[in-house]
Amino acid sequence: MKRVHLTAERRLLAWIALVAGILGATLLAAGHHGLSAHYFSTQGSPVIALLCVVLVGLALRPVRLRFEPRAPGAFAAGAIALLIALATWTGTHWLMLDYQLARDTQMAVFDARIFESGKLAQPLAPFWRPFALALIPDFLLDIPGHALLVSTYLPGNALLRTLFARVAEPQLANPVLLAIAILALWDIARRTLGSCPAAVWVALATVVLSAQVLVAAMTPYAMTAHLVFNLVWLWLFLRDRPWLHACAMAVGLYAMGLHQVVFHPLFAGPFILTLLAARRWALFGAYALVYAAGVLFWFAYPSLIASMADVVPQTGSAAGVAPFVEGRILPLFTDRATGGVGYMVYNLLRLCAWMPLFVAPFVALAWPDVRHGRGIALPLFAGFALTLAAMFVLLPYQGHGWGYRYVHGLIGNLALLAGYGFVRWRQKDRETAGGTFAVTTGLTALLTLPWLAWSAHAFLAPHERVYRALAGQTADFVIVDTDSDRALIDQVRNRADLSNRPLLLSSRGLSEQQVATLCAMGTVTFADAPALARHGVRVPPDVQGDGRERRSPRYAALVGLAGDLDCGKPLD
């Protein structure tokens, strides 16, 4: 039997396949419950299996294809960016149904509607303040007495949606931002990898063929904005002109306020530190001062919102910088859930599944460039590694998301590192590197992209049908059974001005007296999973692993009270 000789690069493919296969099989065999396990078992695991098969196949029998393209010009990059923008805009409505699945995305739309009215927070009428947590059960800024309604997230992402709402429609925001990210990445790649035109195409393909990038751009998630702001910042920083550095600082200030402060500094920090190595003390000092001021400003932002409405909180994250840190940052360190390592394994495998299959080996091959500090490889890698470390410490569990969204803003880093890795492999074996690239992108993406896009739609569609059924009721109020069924909590959503009808309320946030008050004001419908199922709308199963109590005693008491008051209305 002929012995197969494995080069270092082909051994790397085999090792990646082995590690991914063992980790994936272990997670599946463990039988974990929860969103992370559910997403991986139903979406990511088939792609990981395909990744293992393809990488082992390429390790044992490499495909030798010549890949000698011309460098992509401005026209090609612009055409690709326009095509992706149109595709993701269409997918927003057709594939993702213009539905905000996670509370993160719901609150981006919630805040944007407030900003469209010319306010930074929506005053809540005194009558409705006791109902605030029933109307908006999660991620509501803790203003005393709930005098104002606005989310706990910083406003940058919602402000971008507001801007697009004024000129077109808010659903265009992320598709257009993604197009800008592609153009910025193209220019960075041709400047850093331009000696190898094929590597520029690898960098572009990393983004264009990424199911994570494309599907996220079809949602209101802030992660697309993080990606484009990071790439535009890097484009300005690398051009190294005084006025462009000033622009980069401005971009960085806004990027910190997109939704959470932490993400952009972890990306930009390693690049800013290179100024120290270059002994550019004045420029480093300018960046350090601007970023320190930016962190303080965004930490203080909730208290500024409260003070604008003459509300002066004494405690909580809206009370100032120190209470913000105490109420929002320290609990991330102290209120630790178990299973951090397991969550991170899920996260990384989901990232590999939702990215093009060539990314992992090409990024691994870039390690010598990282280790020796060639080009910008070291700060690219450092930003990604720092973000992973921070998320492991602060928030290993990501909940909903397509791929691993907490590193979404660093996908540009992975794209450029993949370009570095491609160059290194191509220098050793011109034909095999090109063949590997052509096979993994041209064949596997044709399978993985449609599968992951369909799986995202299939997961989301039942939730959208439930919300449509609830929002279509003719009652004045719909009390959703969030005591018995955790899967229904995200269906409770209302406009900040409470102009929608019916108003949807979480049963967890209501007392019997409050239900009696609602009964005195109009008709009330109670909606739990069995009632919705009887009307042909199946509630997606709770995947948290704690089972389902079909009707809790507290919820049953609320239903009984409404029956006694003769104000209940059956589901339409």
Side-chain angles (χ1 to χ4, degrees):
M1 180 180 294
K2 184 179 179 180
R3 184 178 180 181
V4 178
H5 174 67
L6 297 182
T7 65
E9 292 76 18
R10 291 163 64 185
R11 285 198 300 272
L12 174 65
L13 297 183
W15 274 110
I16 291 175
L18 179 64
V19 171
I22 290 174
L23 290 176
T26 301
L27 291 177
L28 290 175
H32 294 151
H33 298 285
L35 273 177
S36 296
H38 181 78
Y39 272 123
F40 180 71
S41 63
T42 59
Q43 298 175 356
S45 57
V47 182
I48 293 297
L50 178 63
L51 177 147
C52 295
V53 171
V54 170
L55 292 187
V56 169
L58 290 173
L60 297 178
R61 191 177 182 85
V63 179
R64 296 187 175 276
L65 298 175
R66 303 286 294 184
F67 185 63
E68 302 288 345
R70 293 182 179 180
F75 179 81
I80 292 171
L82 178 61
L83 179 63
I84 293 299
L86 291 174
T88 51
W89 181 37
T90 301
T92 300
H93 297 284
W94 174 70
L95 185 70
M96 303 302 284
L97 306 174
D98 193 20
Y99 175 75
Q100 301 85 46
L101 173 66
R103 187 65 66 174
D104 310 59
T105 53
Q106 294 169 26
M107 297 312 280
V109 174
F110 181 85
D111 285 349
R113 286 175 175 157
I114 296 173
F115 301 156
E116 287 173 31
S117 68
K119 308 181 186 75
L120 290 178
Q122 176 69 43
L124 184 60
F127 173 83
W128 287 111
R129 291 175 187 175
F131 293 87
L133 293 180
L135 292 162
I136 316 294
D138 283 319
F139 298 103
L140 190 64
L141 189 64
D142 53 346
I143 300 292
H146 301 295
L148 298 172
L149 296 181
V150 72
S151 80
T152 57
Y153 292 114
L154 296 173
N157 182 45
L159 284 171
L160 290 172
R161 293 184 62 84
T162 304
L163 172 63
F164 278 87
R166 293 196 179 276
V167 299
E169 66 171 19
Q171 293 85 351
L172 264 174
N174 275 354
V176 171
L177 290 175
L178 178 54
I180 296 171
I182 290 170
L183 293 174
L185 175 63
W186 163 75
D187 195 61
I188 296 168
R190 74 184 184 92
R191 291 173 181 275
T192 58
L193 305 169
S195 60
C196 178
V200 180
W201 283 106
V202 169
L204 285 176
T206 299
V207 170
V208 172
L209 297 177
S210 166
Q212 173 169 332
V213 169
L214 299 179
V215 173
M218 302 175 193
T219 74
Y221 271 123
M223 300 309 168
T224 301
H226 280 292
L227 176 62
V228 67
F229 273 79
N230 284 350
L231 284 171
V232 169
W233 183 93
L234 184 57
W235 180 80
L236 294 166
F237 183 87
L238 293 178
R239 285 180 168 254
D240 200 20
R241 304 283 177 80
W243 69 277
L244 291 178
H245 280 296
C247 291
M249 294 176 198
V251 167
L253 285 175
Y254 194 91
M256 283 188 280
L258 283 171
H259 92 297
Q260 298 283 16
V261 173
V262 66
F263 290 106
H264 176 75
L266 292 173
F267 162 82
F271 289 98
I272 295 172
L273 288 174
T274 63
L275 299 173
L276 283 180
R279 298 179 180 274
R280 302 180 69 177
W281 315 116
L283 185 57
F284 173 82
Y287 271 104
L289 287 174
V290 167
Y291 271 67
V295 169
L296 291 175
F297 172 78
W298 288 119
F299 278 2
Y301 177 80
S303 65
L304 296 176
I305 294 299
S307 65
M308 288 172 63
D310 296 325
V311 177
V312 184
Q314 301 300 315
T315 60
S317 61
V321 174
F324 181 95
V325 174
E326 181 181 354
R328 294 274 295 279
I329 305 300
L330 291 182
L332 296 174
F333 291 92
T334 57
D335 300 340
R336 299 283 295 161
T338 59
V341 173
Y343 283 135
M344 292 304 293
V345 174
Y346 276 121
N347 295 337
L348 291 174
L349 286 178
R350 287 168 64 184
L351 176 67
C352 290
W354 284 74
M355 295 296 292
L357 300 190
F358 62 79
V359 172
F362 281 166
V363 169
L365 286 170
W367 176 246
D369 298 291
V370 173
R371 188 177 65 229
H372 297 294
R374 298 188 183 102
I376 58 172
L378 177 57
L380 288 172
F381 177 82
F384 184 79
L386 285 172
T387 301
L388 283 183
M391 291 303 102
F392 173 70
V393 173
L394 298 175
L395 195 60
Y397 175 70
Q398 77 156 350
H400 288 296
W402 316 114
Y404 184 30
R405 59 188 170 90
Y406 289 157
V407 297
H408 200 96
L410 287 303
I411 288 177
N413 298 43
L414 295 179
L416 294 167
L417 287 170
Y420 275 99
F422 177 85
V423 171
R424 176 158 293 278
W425 194 350
R426 187 172 181 272
Q427 289 171 346
K428 290 187 175 183
D429 187 340
R430 193 179 192 89
E431 292 183 350
T432 303
T436 301
F437 169 81
V439 171
T440 53
T441 59
L443 296 180
T444 59
L446 293 177
L447 297 173
T448 58
L449 266 174
W451 159 256
L452 291 170
W454 176 85
S455 68
H457 170 83
F459 184 89
L460 175 144
H463 294 267
E464 189 272 343
R465 287 194 293 271
V466 171
Y467 173 69
R468 189 154 28 93
L470 295 173
Q473 298 299 307
T474 56
D476 297 299
F477 310 101
V478 176
I479 298 177
V480 181
D481 182 7
T482 57
D483 283 271
S484 310
D485 198 334
R486 184 180 300 180
L488 286 169
I489 189 72
D490 285 335
Q491 305 297 346
V492 179
R493 55 186 80 185
N494 299 283
R495 294 184 178 180
D497 60 3
L498 305 185
S499 60
N500 58 289
R501 287 295 180 274
L503 289 176
L504 306 181
L505 298 103
S506 166
S507 63
R508 287 185 184 181
L510 292 173
S511 65
E512 292 189 1
Q513 180 58 48
Q514 288 175 315
V515 172
T517 300
L518 296 175
C519 281
M521 295 173 61
T523 54
V524 178
T525 288
F526 286 84
D528 57 12
L532 287 164
R534 286 194 297 270
H535 285 74
V537 183
R538 179 177 176 272
V539 177
D542 186 349
V543 296
Q544 299 301 319
D546 53 0
R548 249 188 190 179
E549 184 182 353
R550 283 305 185 182
R551 177 165 289 186
S552 73
R554 210 185 79 82
Y555 183 77
L558 297 181
V559 175
L561 174 63
D564 294 340
L565 297 174
D566 196 26
C567 69
K569 182 182 183 301
L571 278 171
D572 295 332

PDB file of all heavy atoms in Angstrom, residues 57 233 246 292 411 512 524 541 559:
ATOM      1  N   GLY A  57     -10.241  14.745   3.812  1.00  0.00           N
ATOM      2  CA  GLY A  57     -10.086  14.427   2.401  1.00  0.00           C
ATOM      3  C   GLY A  57      -8.986  15.230   1.743  1.00  0.00           C
ATOM      4  O   GLY A  57      -8.173  14.700   0.969  1.00  0.00           O
ATOM      5  N   TRP A 233     -12.357  51.994  11.101  1.00  0.00           N
ATOM      6  CA  TRP A 233     -11.338  52.507  12.013  1.00  0.00           C
ATOM      7  C   TRP A 233      -9.952  52.038  11.569  1.00  0.00           C
ATOM      8  O   TRP A 233      -9.005  52.835  11.517  1.00  0.00           O
ATOM      9  CB  TRP A 233     -11.620  52.015  13.427  1.00  0.00           C
ATOM     10  CG  TRP A 233     -10.677  52.544  14.467  1.00  0.00           C
ATOM     11  CD1 TRP A 233     -10.844  53.647  15.248  1.00  0.00           C
ATOM     12  CD2 TRP A 233      -9.397  51.976  14.830  1.00  0.00           C
ATOM     13  NE1 TRP A 233      -9.761  53.809  16.076  1.00  0.00           N
ATOM     14  CE2 TRP A 233      -8.853  52.810  15.847  1.00  0.00           C
ATOM     15  CE3 TRP A 233      -8.678  50.882  14.413  1.00  0.00           C
ATOM     16  CZ2 TRP A 233      -7.621  52.553  16.435  1.00  0.00           C
ATOM     17  CZ3 TRP A 233      -7.443  50.630  14.989  1.00  0.00           C
ATOM     18  CH2 TRP A 233      -6.929  51.450  15.988  1.00  0.00           C
ATOM     19  N   ALA A 246      -7.461  61.542  13.581  1.00  0.00           N
ATOM     20  CA  ALA A 246      -8.547  62.249  14.272  1.00  0.00           C
ATOM     21  C   ALA A 246      -9.896  61.634  13.916  1.00  0.00           C
ATOM     22  O   ALA A 246     -10.766  61.448  14.784  1.00  0.00           O
ATOM     23  CB  ALA A 246      -8.510  63.732  13.918  1.00  0.00           C
ATOM     24  N   ALA A 292     -10.110  57.002  26.898  1.00  0.00           N
ATOM     25  CA  ALA A 292     -10.476  57.077  28.322  1.00  0.00           C
ATOM     26  C   ALA A 292     -11.698  57.969  28.506  1.00  0.00           C
ATOM     27  O   ALA A 292     -12.621  57.627  29.258  1.00  0.00           O
ATOM     28  CB  ALA A 292      -9.300  57.600  29.135  1.00  0.00           C
ATOM     29  N   ILE A 411     -14.464  39.636  12.786  1.00  0.00           N
ATOM     30  CA  ILE A 411     -14.414  38.791  11.596  1.00  0.00           C
ATOM     31  C   ILE A 411     -13.493  39.409  10.549  1.00  0.00           C
ATOM     32  O   ILE A 411     -12.846  38.681   9.781  1.00  0.00           O
ATOM     33  CB  ILE A 411     -15.833  38.542  11.061  1.00  0.00           C
ATOM     34  CG1 ILE A 411     -16.562  37.579  12.003  1.00  0.00           C
ATOM     35  CG2 ILE A 411     -15.803  37.982   9.642  1.00  0.00           C
ATOM     36  CD1 ILE A 411     -17.993  37.303  11.634  1.00  0.00           C
ATOM     37  N   GLU A 512     -52.566  40.490  41.112  1.00  0.00           N
ATOM     38  CA  GLU A 512     -54.010  40.330  40.935  1.00  0.00           C
ATOM     39  C   GLU A 512     -54.701  41.694  40.881  1.00  0.00           C
ATOM     40  O   GLU A 512     -55.649  41.889  40.113  1.00  0.00           O
ATOM     41  CB  GLU A 512     -54.582  39.472  42.065  1.00  0.00           C
ATOM     42  CG  GLU A 512     -54.131  38.019  42.003  1.00  0.00           C
ATOM     43  CD  GLU A 512     -54.862  37.142  42.995  1.00  0.00           C
ATOM     44  OE1 GLU A 512     -55.741  37.675  43.729  1.00  0.00           O
ATOM     45  OE2 GLU A 512     -54.584  35.933  43.050  1.00  0.00           O
ATOM     46  N   VAL A 524     -59.693  41.477  28.220  1.00  0.00           N
ATOM     47  CA  VAL A 524     -58.398  40.858  28.493  1.00  0.00           C
ATOM     48  C   VAL A 524     -58.420  39.431  27.937  1.00  0.00           C
ATOM     49  O   VAL A 524     -59.359  38.671  28.195  1.00  0.00           O
ATOM     50  CB  VAL A 524     -58.095  40.824  30.001  1.00  0.00           C
ATOM     51  CG1 VAL A 524     -56.756  40.128  30.252  1.00  0.00           C
ATOM     52  CG2 VAL A 524     -58.087  42.224  30.579  1.00  0.00           C
ATOM     53  N   PRO A 541     -40.635  24.861  21.529  1.00  0.00           N
ATOM     54  CA  PRO A 541     -40.343  24.287  22.853  1.00  0.00           C
ATOM     55  C   PRO A 541     -39.293  25.087  23.602  1.00  0.00           C
ATOM     56  O   PRO A 541     -38.397  25.677  23.011  1.00  0.00           O
ATOM     57  CB  PRO A 541     -39.823  22.883  22.522  1.00  0.00           C
ATOM     58  CG  PRO A 541     -39.316  22.992  21.118  1.00  0.00           C
ATOM     59  CD  PRO A 541     -40.208  23.979  20.437  1.00  0.00           C
ATOM     60  N   VAL A 559     -55.974  33.949  35.845  1.00  0.00           N
ATOM     61  CA  VAL A 559     -57.051  33.580  34.919  1.00  0.00           C
ATOM     62  C   VAL A 559     -58.373  33.462  35.666  1.00  0.00           C
ATOM     63  O   VAL A 559     -59.423  33.941  35.197  1.00  0.00           O
ATOM     64  CB  VAL A 559     -56.706  32.258  34.202  1.00  0.00           C
ATOM     65  CG1 VAL A 559     -57.873  31.804  33.324  1.00  0.00           C
ATOM     66  CG2 VAL A 559     -55.454  32.418  33.359  1.00  0.00           C
TER      67      VAL A 559
END
